[in-house]
Amino acid sequence: MMLMNSPLQRLRDLLPFSLPHSEDREPVSASRLPESTGLAPLVAIARLSDEVVPAIGRQSNLHMRFKLLEEARHEAEQALPALERQIGEATLPLPKSATTAALQADNLLKRLAQAYVDIARSIFRNHHATLAHLLHRATERAMAVLARRQLLAGRAYAAPSANSWLLLHELYRMTCDPRSKPLNGETAPIEHEYLGALLFAFLEPNKLPRNELDSVHACTQQLAAYAVIAEATSEALARKNADACFLIRSEEGNAGFPLTRLPAESPFSGGLIVDCSQVLAALDRNIARQPGKPVQPDLDAPLALLQTLRVALVGRSARRFSRSKFRPRADLVGGLDQVISFLDGNTFSRRAHDATYRQESRNFAPSEWSLIDESPDGFLVRFIKGEKCQFGAGDIVALQPRESSRIHVCLVRRISANRNRLELGLQLLSPQVSVVSLPNGSAAGMRAIFLHSLPAYGRFSGLVIAPGKLNGSTQLSFNTLGRSIERRVGKTLEANEGLEFVTLEPLPH
């Protein structure tokens, strides 16, 4: 691959490494910034991060520094999307190549954001009133880059860094503090970026399928216009609906907490309150929209995803059961086809006399996990070794503890990939499951997982099947455990590109 001619030397010509800055030095043209065209994405990102952005940060003229950063950001845009796709599509835990890509991309975004923050801080601290426009532009850019860095973390199911939140809170306080003057044409876009980043965090991306994160992020950018932020005073709180509000403390490195989860005597002084009541109303308009009818905002997302987002904003309930601590091992397979194969005659315990029942020609690849916590409705498991995960939040898995022949079918509700540890939060679907064939209707010949009961959803049975195979109110008949079952398809509980999870209701008499 052809590389550009001595980019480090060209950069030295642009911004000297060794000589002190001089006011009489000939002004530098942004067009002389070294280009990364033709470089492999990883190499281009590394050079921008390690060489170009640090050198730009030493440019004393703030206007020129901002202009050069804009050029560097444009160069980064030629390489970042490819790395972001690689990270979002990689197995979990991330293989070495994806981990390297994630670190390089994160380093570049971090350094770009910090360079914009430095411009904003310099103007704010030195009270340069004539540079107010530059302050606002640098702040908006910094916030957008920080939000992109947090989206990158979501692609790997990693938690955003505490420092990225501290910077976002600092930038908002510098330019849009509710205690200072009202928003104007320059500060309103900054508040919009800030609220967009907060909304994305409120929706808990580690509980969402990675392939839907771009859609979720696009939705939060539209929905940010409907969130309201204000100083957290007792008078303001008294007028708010706590179910749709979040408290942010600028000195804490996080996105804040739902008011419904705060202890009764928590202090509010100095904090900010984000009211999402109108965000919920906007989601409801999209969920209830009629075909062909316009709606504002017009969210480009499937109905099932919109419903998931609504639940994420208001559906945070306290855990119904306390968890118990124990550390046995378990085998896990993920994805509908693999789970069906695992359930259908391939399950076996680790006891020696059961090993003879194992089928060697199996269509699944188990991995080994540690059972960290268990409650009546779920598990927390940690990856030990085995096949990388091709599934994400919202997918179905089968979990078989060692020294047991019992199989637990669960939905992945949360994924955490921090400090080189991959953990899954699993929701147990049914105490009894069967693999069934559907011989009639639109799902003819399809194999599915029959859930004999659904304790978390009501007095129904359920079915998990490949997406797009069922229509509402379809009547199904199948055999399981030596008896014939006839049911009607009820409401859809979950739907994504990997599965459809529906209730089954008795036929009307």
Side-chain angles (χ1 to χ4, degrees), residues 13-164:
D13 293 340
L14 174 66
L15 295 170
F17 284 78
S18 54
L19 297 177
H21 294 297
S22 169
E23 293 301 325
D24 351 286
R25 186 176 175 83
E26 181 184 353
V28 181
S29 167
S31 63
R32 293 169 61 192
L33 187 69
E35 296 181 356
S36 302
T37 306
L39 288 175
L42 207 58
V43 176
I45 290 297
R47 288 190 175 178
L48 285 168
S49 176
D50 298 339
E51 301 174 9
V52 177
V53 175
I56 291 173
R58 292 190 284 272
Q59 167 62 248
S60 59
N61 183 293
L62 295 182
H63 281 289
M64 180 56 64
R65 194 192 306 178
F66 181 82
K67 190 172 184 181
L68 292 170
L69 282 175
E70 290 290 88
E71 294 250 347
R73 188 175 59 84
H74 174 76
E75 288 293 322
E77 199 58 47
Q78 312 307 308
L80 273 174
L83 298 187
E84 290 167 333
R85 283 193 300 272
Q86 178 187 351
I87 296 159
E89 295 170 0
T91 56
L92 295 172
L94 292 180
K96 184 177 180 180
S97 59
T99 299
T100 301
L103 289 173
Q104 291 282 19
D106 185 67
N107 282 338
L108 174 59
L109 292 172
K110 178 168 59 176
R111 287 171 181 168
L112 270 175
Q114 189 62 57
Y116 284 116
V117 169
D118 289 344
I119 294 174
R121 279 178 179 163
S122 178
I123 297 171
F124 182 77
R125 291 173 179 173
N126 293 299
H127 307 288
H128 291 311
T130 56
L131 298 179
H133 178 63
L134 183 59
L135 165 66
H136 297 140
R137 291 186 68 197
T139 300
E140 186 180 354
R141 283 285 188 264
M143 282 193 167
V145 174
L146 287 167
R148 187 167 185 171
R149 188 183 175 205
Q150 294 182 340
L151 176 57
L152 178 69
R155 297 183 196 279
Y157 285 130
S161 75
N163 188 58
S164 69

Side-chain angles (χ1 to χ4, degrees), residues 337-454:
D337 290 340
Q338 290 208 49
V339 170
I340 288 175
S341 179
F342 188 60
L343 290 170
D344 191 23
N346 285 292
T347 56
F348 61 95
S349 83
R350 291 292 173 148
R351 293 189 295 267
H353 68 272
D354 287 330
T356 56
Y357 297 105
R358 177 174 181 173
Q359 294 185 16
E360 295 301 333
S361 58
R362 52 192 186 172
N363 299 318
F364 60 88
S367 48
E368 185 176 337
W369 298 70
S370 172
L371 284 159
I372 304 301
D373 285 323
E374 179 183 12
S375 73
D377 62 347
F379 303 90
L380 176 65
V381 299
R382 181 178 298 158
F383 180 80
I384 298 175
K385 63 181 179 180
E387 293 293 323
K388 302 288 187 178
C389 302
Q390 298 285 355
F391 52 85
D395 281 336
I396 194 168
V397 299
L399 183 76
Q400 182 182 26
R402 301 283 177 90
E403 301 302 329
S404 171
S405 58
R406 187 171 184 183
I407 308 300
H408 303 285
V409 173
C410 308
L411 284 180
V412 181
R413 288 305 188 195
R414 180 181 63 83
I415 300 181
S416 174
N418 293 314
R419 299 186 299 276
N420 296 319
R421 295 193 314 198
L422 175 64
E423 295 181 348
L424 306 180
L426 305 178
Q427 178 193 353
L428 182 63
L429 292 181
S430 177
Q432 186 176 15
V433 300
S434 304
V435 175
V436 298
S437 295
L438 305 179
N440 65 328
S442 60
M446 286 297 299
R447 310 199 70 203
I449 299 173
F450 176 55
L451 308 167
H452 293 244
S453 63
L454 298 173

Side-chain angles (χ1 to χ4, degrees), residues 274-285:
V274 177
D275 185 347
C276 296
S277 300
Q278 291 306 308
V279 174
L280 293 175
L283 282 169
D284 287 340
R285 289 195 296 273

Side-chain angles (χ1 to χ4, degrees), residues 289-369:
R289 70 188 300 176
Q290 299 298 314
K293 298 287 186 180
V295 65
Q296 289 295 329
D298 186 358
L299 301 176
D300 184 16
L303 176 62
L305 178 58
L306 295 177
Q307 291 170 330
T308 299
L309 300 187
R310 194 190 195 288
V311 170
L313 279 180
V314 297
R316 294 173 171 82
S317 57
R319 182 176 290 138
R320 295 182 294 150
F321 306 102
S322 61
R323 291 194 177 274
S324 57
K325 297 282 186 179
F326 67 114
R327 295 295 173 88
R329 302 293 177 88
D331 291 316
L332 181 144
V333 300
L336 183 59
D337 290 340
Q338 290 208 49
V339 170
I340 288 175
S341 179
F342 188 60
L343 290 170
D344 191 23
N346 285 292
T347 56
F348 61 95
S349 83
R350 291 292 173 148
R351 293 189 295 267
H353 68 272
D354 287 330
T356 56
Y357 297 105
R358 177 174 181 173
Q359 294 185 16
E360 295 301 333
S361 58
R362 52 192 186 172
N363 299 318
F364 60 88
S367 48
E368 185 176 337
W369 298 70

